[in-house]
Amino acid sequence: MQISFHGAARMVTGTKHLITTQNGKNILLDCGMFQGQGQASDQMNRHFGFNPDAIDYLILSHAHIDHSGNIPYLVSQGFRGDIIATAATRDLCSILLADTAHIQQQDNQYLNKKRAKVGKPPLAPLYSIKDVEKALALFTTIPYQKVFQLDDQISVTFFDTGHILGAAAILLSIKEKGSTKRIFFSGDIGRSQDAILKSPQAFPQADVIICESTYGNRLHEPQEDREKKLLGIIKNTCVNQKGKLIIPAFSLGRTQELVYAFNNLKNAGLLPPIKVFVDSPLSINATNIMRAHPECFNEQMLINLRSDSDPFGFDDCHYIRKPEDSMKLNEMNEPMIIISASGMAEAGRIKHHIKNAISNEANTILLVGYCTPSSLGGRLARNYEEVNIFGKPYKVKANVEVMSNFSAHADYHEMLEYLDCQNKKEVSQMFLVHGEYETQIAWRDKLMDSGFANVSIPELHQSFAV
């Protein structure tokens, strides 16, 4: 059989890995959207590198847009197969994909106005809400650790990765010419001490492993220190400097972890009386879905629910839906905390909040997750003295803080621990995806030092026989 890598190859976003069996079955692992590539992203998202109507099955690891975001376009181009996912992933896709379609429509209207001024024809958005609805109708949901037969030769089993709600690693068993090949795709690997979700599950022995690389060259700060450090940043910014704390955060996962941390500090009597605003309609919807899936929570979270029925809300926490209420936050001069999407600060309301806060030394911009180097969040994390926002330059006078211990991705030590369930001598091939190339080189060295022998870093659209 053959594996082709059509996304997240020597980059983080756009995950798409295509397995073609000797019998001609085509199995696509994830169908993510390229993000953070500037103007090139649109063209990259419109060219799959394969024929969409030739795909028999799409198996989805989780709902993040860099893994699921191009599914509606795949459907619009002819895909009619089954989409296999967990129930929580399907529920989250129903809001995330609809939101992405809406953002595209808005961005397209703005872009076409600029194109019309220079005599260029209008462009259509990548997909519409109708394409999202067609895609959602193709979902089949299965639980963790249940072998699901796609046909008489191919089965799939999900294992909880603890990355976000419903996230799964994928084990494919494929029979060919009297033997069975076991192909494992890690998806995104979560952390063993997540505050809300279960730890990543061990998985059976594999012959071939496709492994993520996001933090393959990095160790996170200890998780037990994060609420203490977060509290210190809050006190310094909002109490001592009377400023605003602006936090770009993905609507799914990171936002809920932050609110949960604030809730814990509030319950412990440590959080100062400062208003917390979650300024994202999508975050509100994602939080409601999270409340509906306690089967994904870890034991400590379930225990906490007995004494606190709503760990994602407290008296000073306000969820903002209306755009006019979002704009009012920028007019308020009092100290406050604003959590808003997107996590890379590339789109959405967060860009307006950063624009209004960035020139004031009393304010802090807190980055709590991975940002591509070219994104606004990435430039802030790399201490740029000046950044462009909405096409205009702004001096970075606000304090910029980075907290990696809120990351939903395992660091290289945690990933090595995750892979310890494998007999490395039985893994004939390993492929590294979902990482910047320099990071992947470092991660490959660590894997080979640990005993994995054949580790490759695919280029975009490169194919390998397995």
Side-chain angles (χ1 to χ4, degrees):
M1 74 185 74
Q2 179 178 279
I3 302 179
S4 303
F5 297 89
H6 298 290
R10 304 192 180 188
M11 64 179 69
V12 171
T13 62
T15 303
K16 299 176 199 72
H17 314 310
L18 179 60
I19 298 169
T20 302
T21 70
Q22 290 180 346
N23 292 331
K25 291 289 186 180
N26 289 299
I27 307 161
L28 186 62
L29 303 177
D30 287 354
C31 190
M33 182 174 281
F34 290 101
Q35 299 169 294
Q37 304 298 317
Q39 294 181 351
S41 293
D42 183 72
Q43 286 303 309
M44 293 173 74
N45 285 321
R46 291 179 190 271
H47 295 89
F48 290 109
F50 55 84
N51 187 356
D53 63 13
I55 304 300
D56 296 290
Y57 308 103
L58 168 57
I59 306 176
L60 182 58
S61 67
H62 65 288
H64 273 153
I65 292 301
D66 61 323
H67 292 258
S68 73
N70 225 15
I71 292 175
Y73 185 61
L74 187 78
V75 172
S76 76
Q77 298 303 299
F79 171 72
R80 294 296 181 268
D82 294 327
I83 302 173
I84 314 299
T86 64
T89 292
R90 194 273 176 200
D91 290 349
L92 290 168
C93 281
S94 70
I95 61 169
L96 292 173
L97 297 179
D99 182 71
T100 303
H102 178 66
I103 290 172
Q104 284 183 65
Q105 186 177 14
Q106 288 183 321
D107 290 348
N108 212 249
Q109 289 173 349
Y110 173 75
L111 178 62
N112 284 336
K113 285 181 181 179
K114 294 179 68 176
R115 290 176 65 86
K117 290 179 180 178
V118 294
K120 291 183 179 181
L123 295 176
L126 194 62
Y127 54 80
S128 68
I129 192 65
K130 289 184 178 180
D131 297 316
V132 173
E133 292 168 354
K134 290 177 183 177
L136 293 172
L138 299 177
F139 273 72
T140 295
T141 62
I142 62 174
Y144 295 117
Q145 294 185 292
K146 179 182 179 180
V147 178
F148 182 80
Q149 290 293 146
L150 297 179
D151 57 31
D152 59 355
Q153 296 177 318
I154 306 169
S155 70
V156 59
T157 311
F158 284 153
F159 296 88
D160 195 342
T161 63
H163 171 63
I164 63 168
L165 193 79
I170 299 164
L171 180 66
L172 283 169
S173 293
I174 302 174
K175 295 179 182 178
E176 285 189 340
K177 294 184 176 180
S179 64
T180 299
K181 184 77 72 174
R182 300 160 297 183
I183 300 176
F184 179 79
F185 172 42
S186 71
D188 287 354
I189 304 167
R191 309 189 66 190
S192 59
Q193 298 178 7
D194 189 270
I196 298 171
L197 303 176
K198 294 176 182 177
S199 296
Q201 293 175 332
F203 57 96
Q205 183 64 46
D207 302 303
V208 177
I209 295 177
I210 304 169
C211 185
E212 73 126 313
S213 318
T214 313
Y215 288 121
N217 65 344
R218 197 178 311 178
L219 294 174
H220 296 317
E221 301 165 281
Q223 285 178 291
E224 57 267 22
D225 295 341
R226 67 183 188 176
E227 288 187 6
K228 180 180 179 181
K229 182 174 180 179
L230 181 63
L231 182 60
I233 293 171
I234 293 168
K235 287 183 175 179
N236 184 58
T237 302
C238 300
V239 178
N240 299 339
Q241 298 180 176
K242 309 297 183 186
K244 294 181 179 180
L245 175 59
I246 311 296
I247 310 178
F250 293 111
S251 299
L252 170 60
R254 206 66 43 81
T255 292
Q256 290 77 30
E257 282 206 48
L258 284 163
V259 174
Y260 184 53
F262 292 141
N263 184 73
N264 290 342
L265 291 170
K266 181 75 172 179
N267 288 343
L270 299 173
L271 188 68
I274 298 164
K275 293 177 181 178
V276 177
F277 295 96
V278 181
D279 185 20
S280 166
L282 184 59
S283 294
I284 300 170
N285 295 336
T287 301
N288 289 335
I289 289 175
M290 202 153 187
R291 290 183 176 115
H293 285 278
E295 75 277 6
C296 296
F297 295 166
N298 61 35
E299 186 176 347
Q300 186 57 53
M301 180 66 168
L302 293 173
I303 291 172
N304 291 347
L305 282 171
R306 297 172 190 166
S307 57
D308 185 352
S309 60
D310 186 10
F312 304 117
F314 49 93
D315 289 343
D316 287 325
C317 183
H318 308 275
Y319 286 87
I320 305 295
R321 281 193 183 272
K322 297 179 181 179
E324 56 267 30
D325 292 334
S326 174
M327 289 186 281
K328 288 177 182 177
L329 299 180
N330 293 317
E331 300 170 1
M332 297 166 64
N333 292 322
E334 64 189 85
M336 66 180 67
I337 300 167
I338 301 174
I339 307 169
S340 188
S342 71
M344 296 187 193
E346 273 296 273
R349 297 177 181 181
I350 189 62
K351 290 185 74 172
H352 295 275
H353 295 309
I354 291 176
K355 182 194 74 171
N356 283 279
I358 201 166
S359 300
N360 188 335
E361 294 178 354
N363 299 329
T364 297
I365 300 166
L366 173 59
L367 303 169
V368 293
Y370 179 81
C371 298
T372 59
S374 61
S375 67
L376 175 57
R379 295 193 297 274
L380 290 170
R382 288 158 180 79
N383 298 312
Y384 279 40
E385 294 182 359
E386 184 177 280
V387 294
N388 279 351
I389 306 175
F390 299 120
K392 294 183 179 180
Y394 289 84
K395 295 288 185 182
V396 182
K397 295 182 179 180
N399 183 43
V400 177
E401 294 275 358
V402 178
M403 286 185 64
S404 67
N405 50 5
F406 269 100
S407 174
H409 285 270
D411 61 25
Y412 75 76
H413 179 71
E414 292 165 327
M415 287 195 290
L416 286 172
E417 285 187 337
Y418 176 67
L419 294 168
D420 266 348
C421 62
Q422 298 293 287
N423 181 340
K424 299 175 178 65
K425 294 181 180 179
E426 291 188 27
V427 179
S428 60
Q429 292 169 283
M430 177 177 277
F431 301 100
L432 303 186
V433 296
H434 202 286
E436 303 296 337
Y437 186 48
E438 290 183 2
T439 300
Q440 291 179 313
I441 292 171
W443 178 220
R444 179 181 61 188
D445 292 343
K446 290 177 172 60
L447 287 165
M448 295 184 75
D449 287 344
S450 76
F452 290 102
N454 186 6
V455 185
S456 301
I457 305 174
E459 297 180 25
L460 188 63
H461 304 306
Q462 188 173 7
S463 298
F464 293 81
V466 297

